[in-house]
Amino acid sequence: MTYKVVQWGTGNLGTLAVQSILKHPDLELIGTWVSSGEKAGRDVGELSRVPVIGVLATQDAEALIASDADCICYA
C-alpha cells in the first residue's frame, strides 16, 4: 500500500522530511504547505534541494487538509 503524504513546511527539517518521503517506496508526496508567498507555486523538489518532482508548494491549507492524503508530516 502506498500512503499519500502532505508535508507541512519546507524549512530545514521540512526539507529533510521531503527528501525522506521521496526515497520511501511506500510514500507518495501529494502536496506541501509553505508559509512564504515567495515559495508558493514553486516545485517542492526545487525547494528541497532535489530534482523537480511536479508537486507545487501552496499556501492553501484548507485544500491540503481536504485532499485525499493519508497523513500530514508536520516538520
Side-chain angles (χ1 to χ4, degrees), residues 10-16 18-19 22 43-52:
T10 57
N12 292 328
L13 189 54
T15 292
L16 293 173
V18 167
Q19 293 170 358
L22 294 174
D43 190 278
V44 176
E46 173 190 0
L47 297 173
S48 302
R49 294 182 241 125
V50 297
V52 171

Side-chain angles (χ1 to χ4, degrees), residues 2-25:
T2 300
Y3 295 95
K4 296 178 181 179
V5 181
V6 168
Q7 171 58 38
W8 213 263
T10 57
N12 292 328
L13 189 54
T15 292
L16 293 173
V18 167
Q19 293 170 358
S20 295
I21 291 165
L22 294 174
K23 290 178 185 175
H24 198 291

Side-chain angles (χ1 to χ4, degrees), residues 1 4 6 10 13 15 21-22 26 30 33 35 37-38 40 43 45-46 50-51 53 56 60-62 69 72-73 75:
M1 176 175 187
K4 296 178 181 179
V6 168
T10 57
L13 189 54
T15 292
I21 291 165
L22 294 174
D26 295 331
I30 65 164
W33 180 85
S35 60
E38 70 181 37
D43 190 278
E46 173 190 0
V50 297
I53 61 172
L56 300 181
D60 190 347
E62 290 180 16
I72 294 176
C73 179

